[in-house]
Amino acid sequence: MTGSPLDSLISLGRDSSALERVRKLGFPHRGQEAWRVTSLESLSTQKGFRRARPPANLPDLSAWSIADADELVLINGELRPELCRASPELLACIVAKAAPAVEEGGFFAQLNQAAATSSLVIEIPKKWHSAKALHIFNLSLDAGVDDLVPVSLPRLHLSLGRDASLEVLESHFSPAGFASLSTPLTTIELAEGASLTHVRLQNESEDAWHLATCRTTIAAAANCRSLAFSAGARVSRLDLNAVLQGEGGNAELDGLYAVHGRQLVDFHTALTHQAPLCTSRQIVKGILDDRSRGVFEGLIRITKDAQKSDSSQLSRSLLLSSGARVDTKPELDVLADDVKAAHGAAIGQLDPEQMFYLRSRGIPAETARRLLIHGFMEEIVSKVPAAMHDLIAAAFVRFET
């Protein structure tokens, strides 16, 4: 990979196998099918990169905290025990070992494996139930000693034992005006009968690049509800891969993004049915203003052994300006013959008839606009567990004011 803009970071990599995969994949560019509509030119033209170094004095974290939750705090991907607030039972689930290797995945997933210096591994035992949600709070910070881009490499592995249940918020923040690169890699394993609600919030600085990967395996009769929210970053991308491996599993992979200015957000998802009698649902919504850009590519694959699968996928985008643009590509790959499968996409503006209805009842234009935007988002936001709701809603408040 001679000449890559990330050579300065790759040289710090310690995992030789992952480094070899990084070099083989090469830095993403629009000539590659997976990146054909998402440009990383703003990243590739930076002067150089180095590991993020937190300042001596940390900012007040209370604005990003959840009071009624177990909370684990990571600064630049490193767990900070002195900032954590969690029950002894939850802390006992943190295992001092490396996260499992991921041989598949794109450039940034392999970069994370090659260069990350630590990982957070949480193993929830069988039949675990907690009244509290878990907030895994990732904050990117830097002392700002030079003009190189600081890089954070959060690595999370979460496993749930048989019949365990958990609600998790994985959040990613950075201060306003902070130009950084974050490449989170999250892997999740659900054993038979386990139930997980995984809420993911990306609300980094609008000068940041956030390029994340999440890979989930779902065993028989297990249930995974994934809610991915994206509001920040200059360029953000989530590569989300889920596999229904056992009979009777269920996956819901929903998402909401809202961008303005010249922000670019990219949701790439791949959901595979490998076993019979599984169900999956996906709704991804986007709100775009000014000259922002949105991308959604979603693949649902149903293998020949996954008979009696039931799957649906829908992408809906709301354009608030003539300069905004969205590219959507829902895709079905069905090899079984006894299935229910549907997909669709819709792109539009605020409904003029709904606007007229609200205006005719004395509601001012701006208030009517906010109400319609709120209604568009609420289908996804309403699915968020109560303990996390305020933090999620705050990320999108600028589109309702």
Side-chain angles (χ1 to χ4, degrees):
M1 284 190 61
T2 302
S4 163
L6 291 181
D7 275 349
S8 53
L9 177 63
I10 293 170
S11 65
L12 301 177
R14 303 189 304 176
D15 184 323
S16 59
S17 296
L19 270 174
E20 181 59 32
R21 291 192 289 271
V22 167
R23 294 189 178 99
K24 184 176 180 180
L25 288 165
F27 189 77
H29 57 82
R30 293 182 69 176
Q32 298 170 337
E33 177 62 23
W35 293 89
R36 61 187 177 83
V37 293
T38 298
S39 172
L40 292 180
E41 183 179 359
S42 62
L43 181 65
S44 65
T45 54
Q46 295 300 305
K47 182 178 180 179
F49 301 82
R50 60 165 173 77
R51 295 184 188 279
R53 307 186 194 106
N57 298 315
L58 299 179
D60 181 7
L61 306 183
S62 60
W64 300 308
S65 182
I66 298 177
D68 188 25
D70 286 323
E71 199 157 60
L72 303 178
V73 179
L74 295 90
I75 306 295
N76 300 331
E78 303 285 339
L79 184 67
R80 298 288 291 266
E82 76 278 12
L83 301 176
C84 297
R85 186 189 68 249
S87 68
E89 293 80 10
L90 189 282
L91 293 174
C93 298
I94 299 176
V95 181
K97 67 179 183 181
V102 177
E103 295 187 2
E104 297 180 352
F107 178 88
F108 293 103
Q110 297 307 320
L111 176 63
N112 181 291
Q113 291 196 106
T117 57
S118 67
S119 57
L120 175 61
V121 178
I122 303 174
E123 296 182 349
I124 302 297
K126 65 180 181 180
K127 297 186 178 181
W128 165 286
H129 299 280
S130 175
K132 282 190 173 183
L134 170 60
H135 181 200
I136 302 173
F137 170 24
N138 294 272
L139 182 61
S140 295
L141 292 172
D142 191 69
V145 296
D146 52 36
D147 58 357
L148 300 181
V149 175
V151 180
S152 299
L153 300 137
R155 175 68 174 102
L156 169 65
H157 178 72
L158 173 65
S159 66
L160 269 66
R162 183 169 182 166
D163 296 324
S165 66
L166 186 66
E167 294 178 344
V168 178
L169 170 59
E170 176 192 345
S171 67
H172 297 267
F173 293 94
S174 57
F178 180 47
S180 63
L181 168 63
S182 181
T183 65
L185 172 59
T186 299
T187 49
I188 298 171
E189 297 177 356
L190 302 186
E192 184 176 353
S195 180
L196 173 69
T197 297
H198 177 218
V199 181
R200 189 182 194 282
L201 172 62
Q202 182 280 115
N203 196 17
E204 297 216 49
S205 159
E206 292 183 16
D207 295 297
W209 295 268
H210 183 95
L211 304 166
T213 304
C214 181
R215 303 180 70 85
T216 303
T217 56
I218 304 163
N223 179 69
C224 177
R225 169 175 280 187
S226 171
L227 297 161
F229 296 91
S230 183
R234 177 178 184 172
V235 177
S236 68
R237 173 160 166 150
L238 174 61
D239 283 290
L240 176 61
N241 180 290
V243 182
L244 289 158
Q245 296 181 327
E247 183 173 321
N250 176 67
E252 298 176 41
L253 308 181
D254 294 337
L256 172 68
Y257 65 85
V259 286
H260 67 158
R262 290 185 173 272
Q263 288 179 282
L264 186 155
V265 60
D266 183 344
F267 271 40
H268 264 64
T269 67
L271 174 60
T272 301
H273 288 240
Q274 289 185 344
L277 296 168
C278 291
T279 60
S280 66
R281 298 288 183 267
Q282 182 174 45
I283 302 175
V284 174
K285 289 189 168 187
I287 301 172
L288 303 98
D289 204 356
D290 305 321
R291 297 182 62 81
S292 59
R293 178 82 179 272
V295 178
F296 170 68
E297 293 200 9
L299 170 65
I300 295 176
R301 179 182 291 111
I302 302 177
T303 66
K304 64 179 182 180
D305 295 325
Q307 300 294 342
K308 298 189 181 300
S309 292
D310 185 349
S311 180
S312 68
Q313 179 190 75
L314 176 64
S315 167
R316 293 185 62 197
S317 305
L318 180 61
L319 305 181
L320 301 180
S321 73
S322 59
R325 178 180 169 184
V326 64
D327 292 275
T328 64
K329 185 185 176 184
E331 186 177 0
L332 289 175
D333 180 13
V334 180
L335 301 179
D337 54 16
D338 184 9
V339 303
K340 295 179 181 179
H343 66 160
I347 302 171
Q349 300 174 332
L350 291 174
D351 189 330
E353 291 187 5
Q354 292 179 346
M355 281 290 291
F356 176 79
Y357 177 84
L358 294 173
R359 293 297 310 281
S360 68
R361 277 145 182 81
I363 298 175
E366 279 303 308
T367 303
R369 180 178 182 272
R370 291 197 300 269
L371 288 171
L372 293 179
I373 293 172
H374 176 83
F376 183 83
M377 295 192 296
E378 188 62 14
E379 182 179 8
I380 307 299
V381 176
S382 64
K383 298 179 181 182
V384 175
M388 313 171 189
H389 188 275
D390 289 350
L391 194 61
I392 300 298
F396 299 96
V397 69
R398 69 167 174 256
F399 285 88
E400 299 184 82
T401 57

